[in-house]
Amino acid sequence: QGNTYPHILAYDCGSARSVSSISLNQGWWPATSVQVLGSNDNASWTDLGTFSTSAGLNTLSLSSAQSFRYWAIKALSGNTYWCVIEIEL
């Protein structure tokens, strides 16, 4: 997508899934700030926190376990391109 932020990766779990942390493995072009979002209807989203991140493995720990069907990582700032190797809920 080039250097226009935000970049968003979203995932449909099929049904609600309880999550307390997210592992985000970024490549050489990491986002430096990401927001975690959750939704049950894919229309209205709940902001679950903003995290500073870097290249490599990052663990995004939520303040408490949350249960949503849809999960999204929204890159707010960073390098020209955003490279994500793996996300684990």
Side-chain angles (χ1 to χ4, degrees):
Q1 278 191 348
N3 61 359
T4 303
Y5 280 87
H7 300 287
I8 300 172
L9 291 174
Y11 183 72
D12 178 356
C13 293
S15 61
R17 181 170 178 184
S18 182
V19 172
S20 59
S21 67
I22 298 169
S23 295
L24 173 64
N25 192 354
Q26 300 186 101
W28 293 106
W29 299 291
T32 54
S33 177
V34 298
Q35 181 181 27
V36 176
L37 303 162
S39 174
N40 285 311
D41 61 8
N42 199 25
S44 60
W45 292 83
T46 300
D47 179 357
L48 300 172
T50 300
F51 302 85
S52 296
T53 59
S54 60
L57 185 61
N58 297 264
T59 299
L60 314 178
S61 296
L62 306 179
S63 59
S64 63
Q66 301 290 321
S67 183
F68 291 100
R69 174 179 173 168
Y70 302 93
W71 290 87
I73 302 291
K74 183 177 187 179
L76 303 172
S77 63
N79 292 290
T80 303
Y81 296 94
W82 183 31
C83 177
V84 176
I85 298 168
E86 178 181 28
I87 296 176
E88 182 178 328
L89 299 177

Coordinates of all heavy atoms in Angstrom, one line a residue:
Q1 N 0.8 -1.2 0.0 CA 0.0 0.0 0.0 C 0.8 1.3 0.0 O 0.3 2.3 0.0 CB -0.9 0.0 1.2 CG -2.2 -0.8 1.0 CD -3.1 -0.5 2.2 OE1 -2.8 0.1 3.2 NE2 -4.3 -1.0 2.0
G2 N 2.1 1.2 0.0 CA 2.9 2.4 0.0 C 2.9 3.0 1.4 O 2.6 2.4 2.4
N3 N 3.2 4.3 1.4 CA 3.4 5.0 2.7 C 2.1 5.7 3.2 O 2.2 6.6 4.1 CB 4.6 6.0 2.6 CG 4.3 7.1 1.6 OD1 3.3 7.1 0.9 ND2 5.3 8.0 1.4
T4 N 1.0 5.4 2.7 CA -0.3 6.0 3.2 C -0.8 5.2 4.3 O -1.2 4.0 4.1 CB -1.3 6.1 2.0 OG1 -0.7 6.8 1.0 CG2 -2.6 6.8 2.5
Y5 N -0.8 5.7 5.5 CA -1.4 5.0 6.7 C -2.8 5.5 6.9 O -3.1 6.7 6.6 CB -0.5 5.2 7.9 CG 0.8 4.4 7.9 CD1 1.9 4.7 7.2 CD2 0.7 3.1 8.5 CE1 3.0 3.9 7.2 CE2 1.8 2.3 8.5 CZ 3.0 2.7 7.8 OH 4.0 1.8 7.8
P6 N -3.7 4.7 7.5 CA -3.4 3.4 8.2 C -3.4 2.3 7.2 O -4.1 2.3 6.2 CB -4.5 3.3 9.2 CG -5.6 4.0 8.6 CD -5.0 5.2 7.8
H7 N -2.8 1.2 7.6 CA -2.9 -0.1 6.9 C -3.7 -1.0 7.9 O -3.4 -1.0 9.1 CB -1.5 -0.8 6.7 CG -0.6 0.0 5.8 ND1 -0.8 0.2 4.5 CD2 0.5 0.7 6.1 CE1 0.2 0.9 4.0 NE2 1.0 1.3 5.0
I8 N -4.6 -1.8 7.4 CA -5.4 -2.6 8.3 C -5.4 -4.1 7.9 O -5.6 -4.4 6.7 CB -6.9 -2.1 8.3 CG1 -6.9 -0.7 8.8 CG2 -7.8 -3.0 9.2 CD1 -8.3 0.0 8.7
L9 N -5.2 -5.0 8.8 CA -5.3 -6.4 8.6 C -6.5 -6.9 9.5 O -6.4 -6.6 10.8 CB -4.1 -7.2 9.0 CG -2.9 -7.0 8.1 CD1 -1.6 -7.7 8.7 CD2 -3.1 -7.5 6.7
A10 N -7.5 -7.5 9.0 CA -8.6 -8.0 9.8 C -8.8 -9.5 9.6 O -8.4 -10.0 8.6 CB -9.9 -7.2 9.4
Y11 N -9.4 -10.1 10.6 CA -9.6 -11.6 10.6 C -11.0 -11.9 11.1 O -11.4 -11.4 12.2 CB -8.5 -12.3 11.4 CG -8.6 -13.8 11.4 CD1 -8.3 -14.5 10.2 CD2 -9.1 -14.5 12.4 CE1 -8.4 -15.8 10.2 CE2 -9.2 -15.9 12.4 CZ -8.8 -16.5 11.3 OH -8.9 -17.9 11.2
D12 N -11.7 -12.8 10.5 CA -13.0 -13.3 10.9 C -12.8 -14.7 11.5 O -12.4 -15.6 10.8 CB -13.9 -13.4 9.7 CG -15.3 -13.9 10.1 OD1 -15.5 -14.3 11.3 OD2 -16.2 -14.0 9.2
C13 N -13.0 -14.8 12.8 CA -12.8 -16.1 13.5 C -14.0 -17.0 13.3 O -13.9 -18.2 13.7 CB -12.6 -15.9 15.0 SG -11.0 -15.0 15.4
G14 N -15.0 -16.6 12.7 CA -16.2 -17.4 12.5 C -17.2 -17.4 13.7 O -18.4 -17.5 13.5
S15 N -16.7 -17.2 14.9 CA -17.5 -17.1 16.1 C -16.6 -16.3 17.1 O -15.4 -16.2 16.9 CB -17.9 -18.4 16.6 OG -16.8 -19.2 17.0
A16 N -17.2 -15.9 18.2 CA -16.5 -15.1 19.2 C -15.3 -15.9 19.7 O -15.4 -17.1 20.0 CB -17.4 -14.7 20.3
R17 N -14.2 -15.2 19.9 CA -13.0 -15.9 20.4 C -12.4 -15.0 21.5 O -12.2 -13.8 21.2 CB -12.0 -16.1 19.3 CG -10.8 -16.8 19.7 CD -9.9 -17.2 18.6 NE -8.7 -17.8 19.1 CZ -7.7 -18.2 18.3 NH1 -7.8 -18.1 17.0 NH2 -6.6 -18.8 18.8
S18 N -12.1 -15.5 22.6 CA -11.6 -14.7 23.7 C -10.0 -14.6 23.5 O -9.4 -15.6 23.3 CB -11.9 -15.4 25.1 OG -11.3 -14.6 26.1
V19 N -9.5 -13.4 23.6 CA -8.1 -13.2 23.4 C -7.6 -12.2 24.5 O -8.3 -11.2 24.8 CB -7.9 -12.5 22.0 CG1 -6.5 -12.0 21.8 CG2 -8.3 -13.5 20.9
S20 N -6.4 -12.5 25.0 CA -5.8 -11.6 26.0 C -4.5 -11.0 25.5 O -4.0 -10.0 26.0 CB -5.5 -12.4 27.3 OG -4.7 -13.5 27.1
S21 N -3.9 -11.6 24.5 CA -2.7 -11.1 23.9 C -2.6 -11.5 22.4 O -3.2 -12.5 22.0 CB -1.5 -11.5 24.6 OG -1.2 -12.8 24.5
I22 N -1.9 -10.7 21.6 CA -1.7 -11.0 20.2 C -0.3 -11.0 19.9 O 0.4 -10.0 20.3 CB -2.5 -9.9 19.3 CG1 -4.0 -10.0 19.6 CG2 -2.2 -10.1 17.9 CD1 -4.8 -8.9 19.0
S23 N 0.2 -12.0 19.2 CA 1.6 -12.0 18.8 C 1.7 -11.4 17.4 O 1.0 -12.0 16.5 CB 2.2 -13.4 18.8 OG 2.2 -13.9 20.1
L24 N 2.5 -10.4 17.2 CA 2.6 -9.8 15.8 C 4.1 -9.9 15.4 O 4.9 -9.3 16.1 CB 2.2 -8.3 15.9 CG 2.4 -7.4 14.7 CD1 1.6 -8.0 13.5 CD2 2.0 -6.0 15.0
N25 N 4.4 -10.6 14.4 CA 5.8 -10.8 13.9 C 5.9 -9.9 12.7 O 5.3 -10.3 11.6 CB 6.1 -12.2 13.7 CG 7.5 -12.5 13.4 OD1 8.3 -11.6 13.4 ND2 7.9 -13.7 13.3
Q26 N 6.7 -8.9 12.8 CA 6.9 -7.9 11.7 C 8.2 -8.2 11.0 O 9.2 -8.5 11.7 CB 6.8 -6.5 12.1 CG 5.4 -6.2 12.8 CD 5.3 -4.7 13.1 OE1 4.7 -4.0 12.3 NE2 5.9 -4.3 14.2
G27 N 8.3 -7.9 9.7 CA 9.5 -8.1 9.0 C 10.4 -6.8 9.1 O 10.3 -6.0 10.0
W28 N 11.2 -6.6 8.0 CA 12.1 -5.5 8.0 C 11.5 -4.1 8.0 O 12.1 -3.1 8.3 CB 13.1 -5.6 6.9 CG 14.0 -6.8 7.0 CD1 13.9 -8.0 6.4 CD2 15.1 -6.9 7.9 NE1 14.9 -8.9 6.8 CE2 15.6 -8.2 7.8 CE3 15.6 -6.1 8.9 CZ2 16.7 -8.7 8.5 CZ3 16.7 -6.6 9.6 CH2 17.2 -7.8 9.4
W29 N 10.2 -4.0 7.5 CA 9.5 -2.8 7.4 C 8.4 -2.7 8.4 O 7.2 -2.9 8.0 CB 9.0 -2.5 6.0 CG 10.1 -2.5 5.0 CD1 11.0 -1.5 4.9 CD2 10.4 -3.5 4.0 NE1 11.9 -1.8 3.9 CE2 11.5 -3.0 3.3 CE3 9.8 -4.7 3.6 CZ2 12.1 -3.7 2.3 CZ3 10.4 -5.4 2.6 CH2 11.5 -4.9 1.9
P30 N 8.6 -2.5 9.7 CA 7.6 -2.6 10.7 C 6.8 -1.4 10.8 O 7.2 -0.3 10.5 CB 8.4 -2.9 12.0 CG 9.6 -2.1 11.8 CD 10.0 -2.3 10.3
A31 N 5.5 -1.5 11.3 CA 4.8 -0.4 11.8 C 5.4 0.0 13.1 O 5.8 -0.9 13.9 CB 3.3 -0.8 11.9
T32 N 5.4 1.2 13.5 CA 5.9 1.6 14.8 C 4.8 1.8 15.8 O 5.1 1.9 17.0 CB 6.8 2.9 14.6 OG1 6.0 3.9 14.0 CG2 8.0 2.7 13.8
S33 N 3.6 2.0 15.3 CA 2.4 2.1 16.2 C 1.3 1.3 15.6 O 0.9 1.6 14.4 CB 2.1 3.6 16.4 OG 0.9 3.8 17.2
V34 N 0.7 0.4 16.4 CA -0.5 -0.3 15.9 C -1.6 -0.2 16.9 O -1.4 -0.1 18.1 CB -0.2 -1.8 15.6 CG1 0.8 -1.9 14.5 CG2 0.2 -2.5 16.9
Q35 N -2.8 -0.3 16.4 CA -4.0 -0.3 17.3 C -4.7 -1.6 17.1 O -4.8 -2.2 16.0 CB -5.0 0.8 16.8 CG -6.2 1.0 17.5 CD -7.1 2.1 16.9 OE1 -7.0 2.4 15.7 NE2 -7.9 2.7 17.7
V36 N -5.2 -2.2 18.2 CA -5.9 -3.5 18.2 C -7.4 -3.1 18.3 O -7.8 -2.4 19.1 CB -5.5 -4.4 19.3 CG1 -6.4 -5.7 19.3 CG2 -4.0 -4.7 19.2
L37 N -8.2 -3.8 17.4 CA -9.7 -3.5 17.4 C -10.4 -4.8 17.4 O -9.9 -5.8 16.9 CB -10.0 -2.8 16.1 CG -9.3 -1.4 15.8 CD1 -9.4 -1.0 14.4 CD2 -9.9 -0.4 16.7
G38 N -11.6 -4.8 18.0 CA -12.5 -6.0 18.0 C -13.9 -5.6 17.6 O -14.3 -4.5 17.9
S39 N -14.6 -6.6 17.0 CA -16.0 -6.3 16.6 C -16.8 -7.7 16.6 O -16.2 -8.7 16.4 CB -16.0 -5.7 15.2 OG -17.3 -5.6 14.7
N40 N -18.0 -7.6 16.8 CA -18.9 -8.8 16.7 C -19.8 -8.7 15.5 O -20.3 -9.8 15.1 CB -19.8 -8.9 18.0 CG -19.0 -9.5 19.1 OD1 -18.2 -10.4 19.0 ND2 -19.1 -8.8 20.3
D41 N -19.8 -7.6 14.8 CA -20.7 -7.5 13.6 C -19.9 -7.0 12.4 O -20.5 -6.8 11.3 CB -21.9 -6.5 13.9 CG -21.5 -5.1 14.3 OD1 -20.3 -4.8 14.2 OD2 -22.3 -4.4 14.7
N42 N -18.6 -6.7 12.5 CA -17.8 -6.2 11.4 C -18.3 -4.8 10.9 O -18.0 -4.5 9.8 CB -17.8 -7.2 10.2 CG -16.6 -7.0 9.3 OD1 -15.6 -6.4 9.6 ND2 -16.8 -7.4 8.0
A43 N -19.0 -4.1 11.7 CA -19.5 -2.8 11.4 C -19.0 -1.8 12.4 O -18.4 -0.7 12.1 CB -21.0 -2.7 11.2
S44 N -19.3 -2.1 13.7 CA -18.8 -1.2 14.8 C -17.6 -1.9 15.5 O -17.7 -3.0 15.8 CB -19.9 -0.9 15.8 OG -20.4 -2.0 16.3
W45 N -16.6 -1.1 15.7 CA -15.3 -1.7 16.2 C -15.0 -1.0 17.6 O -15.2 0.1 17.8 CB -14.2 -1.4 15.2 CG -14.3 -2.2 14.0 CD1 -15.1 -1.9 12.9 CD2 -13.7 -3.5 13.7 NE1 -15.0 -2.9 12.0 CE2 -14.2 -3.9 12.5 CE3 -12.9 -4.3 14.4 CZ2 -13.8 -5.1 11.9 CZ3 -12.5 -5.5 13.9 CH2 -13.0 -5.9 12.6
T46 N -14.4 -1.9 18.5 CA -14.0 -1.4 19.8 C -12.5 -1.3 19.8 O -11.8 -2.2 19.4 CB -14.5 -2.4 20.9 OG1 -15.9 -2.5 20.8 CG2 -14.0 -2.0 22.3
D47 N -12.0 -0.1 20.2 CA -10.6 0.1 20.4 C -10.1 -0.6 21.6 O -10.5 -0.3 22.7 CB -10.3 1.6 20.4 CG -8.9 2.0 20.6 OD1 -8.0 1.1 20.7 OD2 -8.6 3.2 20.6
L48 N -9.1 -1.5 21.5 CA -8.6 -2.3 22.6 C -7.2 -1.8 23.0 O -6.6 -2.4 23.9 CB -8.6 -3.8 22.3 CG -10.0 -4.3 21.9 CD1 -9.9 -5.7 21.4 CD2 -10.9 -4.2 23.2
G49 N -6.7 -0.8 22.4 CA -5.4 -0.3 22.8 C -4.5 0.0 21.6 O -4.6 -0.6 20.5
T50 N -3.6 0.9 21.8 CA -2.5 1.3 20.9 C -1.2 0.9 21.4 O -0.9 1.1 22.6 CB -2.6 2.8 20.5 OG1 -3.9 3.0 20.0 CG2 -1.5 3.1 19.5
F51 N -0.3 0.3 20.6 CA 0.9 -0.3 21.1 C 2.1 0.2 20.2 O 1.9 0.3 19.0 CB 0.9 -1.8 21.0 CG -0.2 -2.4 21.8 CD1 -1.5 -2.6 21.3 CD2 0.0 -2.8 23.1 CE1 -2.5 -3.1 22.1 CE2 -1.0 -3.4 23.9 CZ -2.2 -3.5 23.4
S52 N 3.2 0.5 20.8 CA 4.5 0.8 20.1 C 5.1 -0.6 19.7 O 5.1 -1.5 20.5 CB 5.5 1.5 20.9 OG 4.9 2.8 21.3
T53 N 5.5 -0.7 18.4 CA 6.0 -2.0 18.0 C 7.3 -1.7 17.2 O 7.7 -0.6 16.8 CB 5.0 -2.7 17.1 OG1 4.7 -1.9 15.9 CG2 3.8 -3.1 17.8
S54 N 8.0 -2.8 16.9 CA 9.3 -2.8 16.1 C 9.4 -4.0 15.3 O 8.5 -4.9 15.3 CB 10.5 -2.7 17.1 OG 10.5 -3.8 17.9
A55 N 10.5 -4.1 14.5 CA 10.7 -5.3 13.7 C 10.8 -6.5 14.6 O 11.3 -6.4 15.7 CB 12.0 -5.1 12.8
G56 N 10.5 -7.7 14.1 CA 10.5 -8.9 14.9 C 9.2 -9.2 15.6 O 8.2 -8.7 15.3
L57 N 9.3 -10.0 16.6 CA 8.2 -10.5 17.4 C 7.7 -9.5 18.4 O 8.6 -9.0 19.2 CB 8.5 -11.9 18.0 CG 7.3 -12.5 18.7 CD1 6.1 -12.8 17.8 CD2 7.8 -13.8 19.4
N58 N 6.5 -9.1 18.4 CA 5.9 -8.2 19.4 C 4.7 -8.9 20.1 O 3.9 -9.5 19.4 CB 5.4 -6.9 18.7 CG 6.5 -6.1 18.0 OD1 7.0 -5.2 18.6 ND2 6.9 -6.5 16.8
T59 N 4.6 -8.8 21.4 CA 3.4 -9.3 22.1 C 2.6 -8.1 22.5 O 3.1 -7.3 23.3 CB 3.8 -10.1 23.3 OG1 4.6 -11.3 22.8 CG2 2.6 -10.7 24.0
L60 N 1.4 -8.1 22.0 CA 0.4 -7.0 22.4 C -0.5 -7.5 23.4 O -1.4 -8.3 23.1 CB -0.3 -6.5 21.1 CG 0.5 -6.3 19.8 CD1 -0.4 -6.0 18.7 CD2 1.6 -5.3 20.1
S61 N -0.3 -7.1 24.7 CA -1.1 -7.6 25.8 C -2.2 -6.7 26.1 O -2.0 -5.5 26.4 CB -0.2 -7.8 27.1 OG 0.8 -8.7 26.9
L62 N -3.4 -7.2 26.0 CA -4.6 -6.4 26.3 C -4.8 -6.3 27.8 O -4.3 -7.1 28.6 CB -5.9 -7.1 25.7 CG -5.8 -7.4 24.2 CD1 -7.1 -8.1 23.8 CD2 -5.6 -6.1 23.4
S63 N -5.5 -5.2 28.2 CA -5.6 -5.0 29.7 C -6.4 -6.1 30.4 O -6.2 -6.4 31.5 CB -6.3 -3.6 29.9 OG -7.5 -3.6 29.3
S64 N -7.3 -6.8 29.6 CA -8.0 -8.0 30.1 C -8.5 -8.8 28.9 O -8.5 -8.2 27.7 CB -9.2 -7.5 30.9 OG -10.2 -6.8 30.1
A65 N -8.8 -10.0 29.1 CA -9.3 -10.9 27.9 C -10.5 -10.3 27.3 O -11.4 -9.8 28.1 CB -9.5 -12.3 28.4
Q66 N -10.6 -10.3 26.0 CA -11.8 -9.7 25.3 C -12.3 -10.8 24.3 O -11.5 -11.6 23.8 CB -11.3 -8.5 24.5 CG -10.8 -7.4 25.4 CD -11.8 -6.7 26.2 OE1 -13.0 -6.5 25.8 NE2 -11.5 -6.4 27.4
S67 N -13.6 -10.8 24.1 CA -14.2 -11.8 23.2 C -14.9 -11.1 22.1 O -15.8 -10.3 22.3 CB -15.2 -12.6 24.0 OG -15.7 -13.7 23.2
F68 N -14.4 -11.3 20.8 CA -15.0 -10.8 19.6 C -14.9 -11.8 18.5 O -14.0 -12.6 18.5 CB -14.2 -9.5 19.2 CG -14.4 -8.3 20.1 CD1 -13.5 -8.0 21.0 CD2 -15.6 -7.6 20.0 CE1 -13.7 -6.9 21.9 CE2 -15.8 -6.5 20.9 CZ -14.8 -6.2 21.8
R69 N -15.8 -11.7 17.5 CA -15.7 -12.5 16.3 C -14.6 -12.0 15.3 O -13.9 -12.8 14.7 CB -17.0 -12.6 15.6 CG -17.0 -13.4 14.3 CD -18.3 -13.5 13.6 NE -18.1 -14.1 12.3 CZ -19.0 -14.5 11.5 NH1 -20.3 -14.4 11.9 NH2 -18.8 -15.0 10.3
Y70 N -14.6 -10.7 15.2 CA -13.7 -10.1 14.2 C -12.6 -9.4 15.0 O -12.8 -8.7 16.0 CB -14.4 -9.1 13.4 CG -15.5 -9.6 12.6 CD1 -16.8 -9.6 13.1 CD2 -15.3 -10.2 11.3 CE1 -17.9 -10.2 12.4 CE2 -16.4 -10.8 10.6 CZ -17.7 -10.7 11.1 OH -18.7 -11.3 10.4
W71 N -11.4 -9.5 14.5 CA -10.2 -8.9 15.1 C -9.4 -8.1 14.0 O -9.4 -8.6 12.9 CB -9.3 -9.9 15.8 CG -9.9 -10.5 17.0 CD1 -10.7 -11.6 17.0 CD2 -9.7 -10.0 18.3 NE1 -11.1 -11.8 18.3 CE2 -10.5 -10.9 19.1 CE3 -9.0 -9.0 18.9 CZ2 -10.6 -10.7 20.5 CZ3 -9.1 -8.8 20.3 CH2 -9.9 -9.7 21.1
A72 N -8.9 -7.0 14.4 CA -8.1 -6.2 13.4 C -6.9 -5.6 14.1 O -6.9 -5.2 15.2 CB -9.0 -5.1 12.8
I73 N -5.8 -5.5 13.3 CA -4.6 -4.8 13.6 C -4.5 -3.6 12.7 O -4.5 -3.8 11.4 CB -3.3 -5.6 13.5 CG1 -3.4 -6.9 14.3 CG2 -2.1 -4.8 13.8 CD1 -3.4 -6.6 15.8
K74 N -4.5 -2.4 13.2 CA -4.4 -1.2 12.3 C -3.1 -0.5 12.6 O -2.8 0.0 13.6 CB -5.6 -0.3 12.8 CG -5.7 1.0 12.0 CD -7.0 1.7 12.5 CE -7.3 2.9 11.6 NZ -8.5 3.6 12.2
A75 N -2.3 -0.5 11.5 CA -1.0 0.1 11.6 C -1.2 1.6 11.4 O -1.7 2.1 10.4 CB 0.0 -0.4 10.5
L76 N -0.8 2.4 12.4 CA -1.0 3.9 12.4 C 0.2 4.7 11.8 O 0.0 5.7 11.3 CB -1.3 4.3 13.8 CG -2.5 3.7 14.5 CD1 -2.6 4.1 15.9 CD2 -3.8 4.0 13.7
S77 N 1.4 4.1 12.0 CA 2.6 4.8 11.5 C 3.7 3.8 11.4 O 3.7 2.7 11.9 CB 3.0 5.9 12.5 OG 3.4 5.4 13.8
G78 N 4.7 4.2 10.7 CA 5.9 3.3 10.5 C 6.6 3.6 9.2 O 6.6 4.7 8.7
N79 N 7.3 2.6 8.7 CA 8.2 2.7 7.6 C 7.3 2.8 6.3 O 6.1 2.7 6.4 CB 9.1 1.5 7.5 CG 10.1 1.5 8.6 OD1 11.0 2.3 8.6 ND2 10.0 0.6 9.5
T80 N 7.9 3.0 5.2 CA 7.2 3.2 3.9 C 6.2 2.1 3.6 O 5.1 2.3 3.2 CB 8.2 3.4 2.8 OG1 9.0 4.5 3.1 CG2 7.4 3.6 1.5
Y81 N 6.7 0.9 3.9 CA 5.8 -0.3 3.7 C 5.7 -1.1 5.0 O 6.6 -1.0 5.8 CB 6.4 -1.2 2.6 CG 6.4 -0.6 1.3 CD1 7.6 0.0 0.8 CD2 5.3 -0.6 0.4 CE1 7.6 0.7 -0.4 CE2 5.4 0.0 -0.8 CZ 6.5 0.6 -1.2 OH 6.5 1.3 -2.4
W82 N 4.6 -1.8 5.2 CA 4.4 -2.5 6.4 C 4.5 -4.0 6.0 O 3.7 -4.5 5.2 CB 3.0 -2.2 6.9 CG 2.7 -2.9 8.3 CD1 3.6 -3.2 9.2 CD2 1.4 -3.3 8.7 NE1 2.9 -3.8 10.3 CE2 1.6 -3.9 10.0 CE3 0.1 -3.2 8.2 CZ2 0.5 -4.4 10.8 CZ3 -0.9 -3.7 9.0 CH2 -0.7 -4.3 10.2
C83 N 5.4 -4.7 6.6 CA 5.6 -6.1 6.4 C 5.3 -6.9 7.6 O 5.8 -6.8 8.7 CB 7.1 -6.3 6.0 SG 7.5 -8.1 5.8
V84 N 4.2 -7.8 7.5 CA 3.8 -8.7 8.6 C 4.1 -10.1 8.2 O 3.7 -10.6 7.1 CB 2.3 -8.5 8.9 CG1 1.9 -9.5 9.9 CG2 2.0 -7.1 9.3
I85 N 4.8 -10.8 9.0 CA 5.1 -12.2 8.7 C 4.0 -13.1 9.3 O 3.6 -14.1 8.7 CB 6.5 -12.6 9.3 CG1 7.6 -11.7 8.6 CG2 6.8 -14.0 9.2 CD1 8.9 -11.8 9.3
E86 N 3.6 -12.8 10.5 CA 2.6 -13.7 11.2 C 1.9 -12.9 12.3 O 2.5 -12.1 13.0 CB 3.4 -14.9 11.8 CG 2.5 -15.8 12.5 CD 3.3 -17.0 13.1 OE1 4.5 -16.8 13.4 OE2 2.8 -18.0 13.3
I87 N 0.6 -13.2 12.4 CA -0.2 -12.7 13.5 C -0.9 -14.0 14.2 O -1.4 -14.8 13.5 CB -1.3 -11.8 13.1 CG1 -0.7 -10.5 12.5 CG2 -2.2 -11.4 14.3 CD1 -1.7 -9.6 11.9
E88 N -0.7 -14.1 15.5 CA -1.4 -15.2 16.2 C -2.2 -14.6 17.3 O -1.8 -13.8 18.2 CB -0.3 -16.1 16.9 CG -0.9 -17.3 17.6 CD 0.2 -18.2 18.1 OE1 1.3 -18.3 17.5 OE2 0.0 -18.8 19.2
L89 N -3.5 -15.0 17.3 CA -4.5 -14.6 18.4 C -4.4 -15.5 19.5 O -4.2 -16.7 19.3 CB -5.9 -14.5 17.8 CG -6.1 -13.5 16.7 CD1 -7.6 -13.7 16.2 CD2 -5.9 -12.1 17.1

